[in-house]
C-alpha cells in the first residue's frame, strides 16, 4: 500500500507518522511519500519521520519529493494537509476582520472565507493531477475549511472524504472522564465542519445507553472550561457544542479577547520555528511533547482509521467524517457536505440516520450552509460581488457595512492568491 501526504513538510506530519508507526497492523503501509514545495522543511520532517519508523520497527519506506506528480503516482490514497500562504496568510485572516469588529479566525467568518478562496482552486488542481495519476485513489482532506474543500472535491467528481479531529478529541476526552476505552464511546455528532454538537454520548455503539446527562452532571465544569464557555449555557443546551460554536454564542466577547493578544498564527509560527529546530536533531526519534500544543490532537489516529476503512478492512465501521448530506438532514440540499457519523468502507461514506434536530441547531446549520454555497461559488468563479454576498450571508457578519469593509480588506490582503483580483 502506498500513501502520499501533500503538505508533508508541515510540522503536523510527525504526529501523522507516529500514528502510522503505532497502528501499522491497522494500516500496513509499504511506501509513504511526503510531498511539499518547501524542500528545506521536507528534509527536516522526512529525516525525523524515518527515525520514528526505525525506532518503532516499521518496515515501510518513507520518501520525500517536491514533485507532486511523482509523489502521487500509484498512490492508493492521498492525504491533503496544506496551507496556501502559510502562517503569514493565516495571521492576516485572524487580524484584518477585527478592524471591522468581526471575529478573526482561520476557518469561519471572513478569515475562513479568505482561506477558502485561496485553497479551493489549489486543491482542485492537485485532485485533478491525482486523478490523472490514479483514478482509483482516495483523497482524504484535512485541509481547512474542510466542509467547503470537501464539497468542491465531491462536486468535481473526486473520490474524497473530509476529516476533522474535533470528534475524536471529544471521544477521547469523554472516554477519560468515563474511565472506559475510547472504542466504547459513540458520539451523536451532528452538524457541519467546525459547527457541530454532541447530542448524545453512547456506550457500546450507536444504540447504546446515552450517558451525556451523567457526563454533564458530574463533569460539566471541566467540559465548559475546556470549551471556554459558560457552564450555564452548556446546562441550558443539554448538549456539548464544539469549541467553534463560541464564535457564534459569544462573538463580541471573543472579538474583545482577540484584540488584546497576539494572533494564534503568531503563536504557531514561533512554535513551528522551535519544532523545526527540534526535527533537525539527528538524535530525535519520536514526536516531541511541544507538538501537542501545535493542534491536531489525535489527527493521526483518525486518519489511519479512515484510510484503513477506505482501503482495507482494518478501520472502524462507523466514523465521523465530512461527506454528502444525501437526505440525512432533510432541511439541507443533498449536495451539502455535513459532518456526522457514517458507515465507511471501500465505496466511501454513508451517513447514519440523524433524529430531527431542534430548530436552535437546524437554523444555524441551514444559515451556514447557505454561506458555504456562496463561498464555494466565489472560490470557483471569483469576483468582488460574489465575495460580498458570501460575507453578507455569514451569520457572524450579516450587515451591509461590515460586508463591504471586509470585502475590500479580504481582496487587498489576498491579491497574490486570487487570479481574478
Amino acid at each position: 500500500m502506498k500513501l502520499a501526504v501533500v503538505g508533508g513538510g508541515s510540522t503536523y506530519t510527525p504526529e501523522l507518522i507516529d500514528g502510522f508507526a503505532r497502528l501499522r497492523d491497522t494500516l500496513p503501509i509499504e511506501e509513504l511519500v511526503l510531498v511539499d514545495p518547501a524542500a528545506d522543511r521536507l528534509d527536516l520532517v522526512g529525516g525525523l519521520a524515518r527515525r520514528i519508523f526505525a525506532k518503532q520497527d516499521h518496515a515501510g519506506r518513507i520518501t520525500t519529493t517536491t514533485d507532486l506528480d511523482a509523489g502521487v503516482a500509484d498512490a492508493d490514497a492521498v492525504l491533503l494537509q496544506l496551507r496556501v500562504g502559510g502562517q503569514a496568510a493565516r495571521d492576516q485572516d485572524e487580524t484584518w476582520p477585527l478592524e471591522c469588529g468581526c471575529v478573526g479566525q482561520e476557518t469561519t467568518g471572513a478569515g475562513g472565507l479568505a482561506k477558502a478562496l485561496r485553497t479551493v482552486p489549489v486543491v482542485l488542481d492537485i485532485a485533478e493531477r491525482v486523478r490523472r495519476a490514479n483514478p482509483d485513489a482516495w483523497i482524504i482532506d484535512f485541509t481547512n475549511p474542510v466542509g467547503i474543500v470537501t464539497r468542491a472535491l465531491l462536486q468535481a467528481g473526486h473520490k474524497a472524504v473530509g476529516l476533522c479531529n474535533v470528534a475524536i478529541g471529544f471521544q477521547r476526552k469523554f472516554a477519560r472522564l468515563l474511565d472506559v476505552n475510547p472504542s466504547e464511546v459513540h458520539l451523536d455528532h451532528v452538524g457541519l465542519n467546525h459547527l457541530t454538537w454532541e447530542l448524545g454520548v453512547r456506550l457500546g455503539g450507536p444504540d447504546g445507553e446515552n450517558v451525556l446527562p451523567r457526563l454533564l452532571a458530574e463533569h460539566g465544569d471541566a467540559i465548559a472550561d475546556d470549551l471556554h464557555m459558560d457552564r450555564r449555557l452548556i446546562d441550558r443546551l443539554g448538549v456539548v457544542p464544539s469549541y467553534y460554536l463560541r464564535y457564534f454564542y459569544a462573538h463580541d466577547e471573543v472579538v474583545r479577547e482577540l484584540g488584546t493578544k497576539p494572533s494564534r498564527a503568531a503563536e504557531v509560527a514561533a512554535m513551528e520555528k522551535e519544532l523545526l529546530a527540534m526535527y533537525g536533531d539527528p538524535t530525535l526519534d519520536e514526536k516531541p511533547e511541544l507538538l501537542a500544543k501545535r493542534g491536531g490532537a489525535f489527527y493521526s489516529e483518525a486518519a489511519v482509521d479512515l484510510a484503513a476503512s477506505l482501503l482495507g478492512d482494518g478501520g472502524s465501521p462507523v466514523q465521523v467524517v465530512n461527506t454528502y448530506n444525501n437526505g440525512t438532514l432533510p432541511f439541507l440540499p443533498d449536495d451539502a457536505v455535513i459532518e456526522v457519523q457514517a458507515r465507511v468502507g471501500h465505496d466511501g461514506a454513508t451517513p447514519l440516520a440523524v433524529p430531527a434536530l431542534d430548530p436552535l441547531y437546524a437554523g444555524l446549520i441551514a444559515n451556514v450552509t447557505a454561506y458555504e454555497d456562496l463561498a464555494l461559488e466565489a472560490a470557483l468563479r471569483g469576483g468582488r460581488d460574489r465575495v460580498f454576498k458570501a460575507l453578507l450571508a455569514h451569520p457572524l457578519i450579516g450587515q451591509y457595512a461590515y460586508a463591504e469593509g471586509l470585502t475590500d480588506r479580504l481582496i487587498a490582503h489576498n491579491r497574490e492568491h486570487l487570479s481574478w483580483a
Side-chain angles (χ1 to χ4, degrees):
M1 182 185 299
K2 176 181 176 180
L3 266 67
V5 179
V6 178
S10 168
T11 53
Y12 267 135
T13 300
E15 160 71 23
L16 192 61
I17 300 299
D18 178 73
F20 287 156
R22 288 185 293 103
L23 303 172
R24 54 185 173 273
D25 292 338
T26 302
L27 187 67
I29 299 173
E30 296 169 309
E31 182 179 1
L32 178 64
V33 185
L34 306 181
V35 184
D36 202 293
D40 53 342
R41 293 172 67 110
L42 264 185
D43 288 342
L44 296 172
V45 174
L48 175 57
R50 295 184 191 97
R51 295 192 296 273
I52 292 174
F53 263 32
K55 182 178 182 179
Q56 300 195 35
D57 296 320
H58 194 299
R61 182 166 64 100
I62 295 178
T63 59
T64 62
T65 182
T66 58
D67 185 332
L68 174 68
D69 295 314
V72 303
D74 302 320
D76 297 291
V78 178
L79 279 71
L80 303 181
Q81 56 172 39
L82 56 136
R83 181 183 296 279
V84 179
Q87 293 299 330
R90 176 181 178 176
D91 183 70
Q92 293 180 353
D93 293 344
E94 293 176 341
T95 51
W96 54 260
L98 297 174
E99 298 171 6
C100 294
C102 295
V103 71
Q105 211 278 330
E106 66 158 337
T107 62
T108 193
L113 176 61
K115 193 172 198 302
L117 296 181
R118 294 193 303 269
T119 304
V120 166
V122 174
V123 166
L124 289 178
D125 176 68
I126 292 169
E128 283 299 327
R129 293 161 74 173
V130 171
R131 180 154 53 190
R132 290 197 297 268
N134 180 7
D136 293 325
W138 279 101
I139 295 176
I140 297 173
D141 178 59
F142 193 66
T143 295
N144 281 319
V146 168
I148 295 174
V149 172
T150 301
R151 188 170 181 180
L153 288 165
L154 290 173
Q155 286 187 351
H158 298 289
K159 294 176 61 176
V161 180
L163 180 65
C164 181
N165 68 322
V166 167
I168 193 172
F170 273 131
Q171 181 201 44
R172 301 309 167 88
K173 184 179 303 179
F174 295 153
R176 289 196 302 273
L177 294 174
L178 294 165
D179 195 25
V180 299
N181 190 294
S183 63
E184 298 180 51
V185 176
H186 177 95
L187 303 177
D188 292 341
H189 180 99
V190 180
L192 310 177
N193 180 243
H194 289 186
L195 192 85
T196 52
W197 296 263
E198 309 308 326
L199 305 183
V201 179
R202 301 182 183 277
L203 292 180
D207 300 317
E209 175 193 4
N210 181 15
V211 296
L212 180 57
R214 172 156 63 94
L215 270 171
L216 292 177
E218 297 177 0
H219 305 285
D221 286 341
I223 292 170
D225 286 346
D226 281 347
L227 297 172
H228 299 281
M229 292 186 190
D230 193 312
R231 166 74 188 270
R232 293 169 296 179
L233 171 62
I234 306 299
D235 287 340
R236 292 183 72 176
L237 294 176
V239 305
V240 179
S242 80
Y243 172 83
Y244 293 90
L245 264 299
R246 187 168 184 257
Y247 298 119
F248 296 82
Y249 293 158
H251 176 273
D252 293 354
E253 178 184 342
V254 172
V255 169
R256 287 193 295 270
E257 286 179 7
L258 293 175
T260 64
K261 60 183 182 181
S263 69
R264 173 62 177 166
E267 295 175 357
V268 171
M271 201 179 304
E272 287 194 335
K273 184 177 181 180
E274 188 174 351
L275 283 169
L276 289 170
M278 291 180 178
Y279 297 170
D281 180 355
T283 66
L284 182 68
D285 56 8
E286 60 186 11
K287 63 177 183 180
E289 291 184 11
L290 179 62
L291 187 55
K293 298 180 181 180
R294 169 66 178 81
F298 308 115
Y299 158 46
S300 63
E301 295 175 39
V304 167
D305 207 16
L306 180 53
S309 292
L310 293 172
L311 302 176
D313 300 312
S316 304
V318 176
Q319 301 170 40
V320 172
V321 297
N322 286 260
T323 192
Y324 270 152
N325 177 46
N326 282 337
T328 307
L329 300 180
F331 54 89
L332 296 184
D334 285 347
D335 67 349
V337 165
I338 60 175
E339 185 173 291
V340 293
Q341 292 276 9
R343 296 199 179 279
V344 182
H346 303 286
D347 295 329
T350 303
L352 301 184
V354 173
L357 289 185
D358 187 299
L360 180 63
Y361 313 123
L364 187 53
I365 290 171
N367 191 339
V368 175
T369 297
Y371 151 75
E372 290 188 348
D373 290 345
L374 295 167
L376 183 55
E377 183 75 2
L380 294 173
R381 300 180 62 191
R384 187 187 187 281
D385 193 52
R386 294 188 181 93
V387 172
F388 168 78
K389 288 179 179 178
L391 290 168
L392 189 63
H394 200 293
L396 293 181
I397 300 165
Q399 297 186 51
Y400 169 77
Y402 286 175
E404 276 287 313
L406 290 168
T407 299
D408 291 337
R409 286 168 172 81
L410 186 155
I411 294 172
H413 284 283
N414 288 275
R415 288 189 189 279
E416 65 180 296
H417 301 291
L418 306 176
S419 60
W420 51 268

